[in-house]
């Protein structure tokens, strides 16, 4: 990065499935916080090209992209501070992907653990799934991003982007490096447990959607797996799924009070059990996202506003993309 050029943060979100508490605490909170740390230089996009490796229905894809955009805006992403755009609104990324593909060995991709995991799960791979990390590297490098906040599962992909940037610079030297080496940043939030105590993930069907409310939310919370302690018995602190979720919503003092109820099996002289803990959790989720739910309803009713925000961000992102791509074309000898 040349002296004085701004640091830029970038991340992509796949538009597949309803966003859940794991996504919120593991990724979205950080993304939104970074808009103040990197004013004007936080780039987020909805990875619809990537989603095409698995989604097979146009309406589903369009709806999922819209839902993710609405969720981010409702949860506090401010399009005046950060960009939020559709990946496919900047098609230049696919051209950079081609250039990177030509310098990437098959072996590098064959070592990708997330690809190998998918094969092990019996997924029949398409070429897009295999080359997924090259498109992701193109996303990162096209916008000359310095910092990429991701979950642990994506670290190897960012490292591949580092390799691809270095390789490109070595193959096509120029006075100033055209592609910059990005760094990743892991979220500090520990793994958010799902209803069954495994990592909350849409692939495990154990999620609590961020905007779940009322009866649906109550039913989900009721399904959270707990120990067999009876009402009034002390409840375990370690490894308790309800408490782990409550901890995400409480400050230290409040958590200490709840841990007191757990240790004694009592609250204000009355027996305290999982039913009560689950009621506390339901109320926390309801109130934490109440304002965002209101904003979400308003945005759902005004798709044009969402589209305008996506389009404005894409226009700004595209200027950056075209600038990098022109440098890459020049460096490689393309027109
Ligand atoms: P899923 O596992 O539901 O498919 P994704 O892989 O799309 O979720 O997750 C997007 C990002 O959300 C991840 O990179 C990670 O940062 C975060 N995330 C997802 N699930 C969790 C979780 N259970 N705990 C913490 N962070 C999570
Ligand atoms: N692969 C990421 C995920 O599944 C999404 C993504 C696509 C991304 N391109 C990116 C993340 C670039 C960070 C940077 O979560």
């Amino acid at each position: 990065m040349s002296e004085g050029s701004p640091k830029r943060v970038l991340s992509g979100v796949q538009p597949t499935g309803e966003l859940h508490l794991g996504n919120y605490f593991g990724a979205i909170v950080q993304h939104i916080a970074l808009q103040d740390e990197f004013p004007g230089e936080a780039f987020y996009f909805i990875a619809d090209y990537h989603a095409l490796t698995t989604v097979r229905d146009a309406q589903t894809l369009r709806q999922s992209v819209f839902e993710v955009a609405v969720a981010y805006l409702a949860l506090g992403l401010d399009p005046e501070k950060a960009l939020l755009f559709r990946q496919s609104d900047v098609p230049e990324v696919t051209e950079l992907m081609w250039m990177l593909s030509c310098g990437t060995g098959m072996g590098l991709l064959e070592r990708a653990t997330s690809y190998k995991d998918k094969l092990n799960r019996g997924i029949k791979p398409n070429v897009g799934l295999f080359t997924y990390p090259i498109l992701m590297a193109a996303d990162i490098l096209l916008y000359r991003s310095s910092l990429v906040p991701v979950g642990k599962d994506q670290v190897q992909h960012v490292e591949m982007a580092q390799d691809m940037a270095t390789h490109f610079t070595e193959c096509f030297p120029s006075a100033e490096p055209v592609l910059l080496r990005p760094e990743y940043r892991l979220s500090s939030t520990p793994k958010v447990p799902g209803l069954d105590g495994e990592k909350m993930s849409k692939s495990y069907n154990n999620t609590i959607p961020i905007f779940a409310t009322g009866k649906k939310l109550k039913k989900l919370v009721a399904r959270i797996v707990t120990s067999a302690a009876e009402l009034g018995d002390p409840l375990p602190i370690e490894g308790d799924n309800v408490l782990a979720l409550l901890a995400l919503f409480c400050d230290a003092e409040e958590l200490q009070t709840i841990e007191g109820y757990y240790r004694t099996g009592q609250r204000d002289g009355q027996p305290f059990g999982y039913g009560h803990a689950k009621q506390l959790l339901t109320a926390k989720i309801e109130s934490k996202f109440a304002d965002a739910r209101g904003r979400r309803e308003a945005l759902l009713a005004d798709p044009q506003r969402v589209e305008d925000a996506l389009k404005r961000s894409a226009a700004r992102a595209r200027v950056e993309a075209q600038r990098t791509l022109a440098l890459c074309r020049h460096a490689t000898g393309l027109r």
Side-chain angles (χ1 to χ4, degrees), residues 102-176:
C102 294
T104 302
M106 296 287 284
L108 184 77
L109 296 183
E110 279 160 357
R111 285 193 293 279
T113 48
S114 105
Y115 177 71
K116 286 194 285 188
D117 284 352
K118 283 177 184 147
L119 291 194
N120 288 339
R121 277 195 272 141
I123 293 172
K124 198 165 157 265
N126 52 55
V127 175
L129 203 59
F130 184 62
T131 56
Y132 183 113
I134 314 183
L135 180 57
M136 182 159 158
D139 290 325
I140 296 169
L141 302 176
L142 186 65
Y143 302 105
R144 297 164 69 90
S145 322
S146 35
L147 192 65
V148 187
V150 283
K152 257 216 304 274
D153 58 322
Q154 298 298 317
V155 167
Q156 191 190 28
H157 290 158
V158 181
E159 289 170 344
M160 288 181 172
Q162 294 173 338
D163 288 349
M164 289 181 215
T166 307
H167 189 250
F168 187 93
T169 307
E170 283 169 3
C171 288
F172 305 109
S174 51
E176 274 222 44

Side-chain angles (χ1 to χ4, degrees), residues 11-16 18-28 30-31 72 149-154 186-187 189-194 198-204 206-207:
S11 199
V13 196
Q14 280 226 52
T16 43
E18 228 174 350
L19 292 171
H20 53 74
L21 295 182
N23 297 138
Y24 180 75
F25 289 103
I28 301 174
Q30 283 80 345
H31 291 170
Y72 265 74
V150 283
K152 257 216 304 274
D153 58 322
Q154 298 298 317
L186 278 174
S187 143
T189 308
K191 190 176 80 177
V192 176
E198 294 301 317
K199 176 187 175 229
M200 188 178 285
S201 168
K202 57 187 169 271
S203 345
Y204 302 154
N206 64 357
T207 66

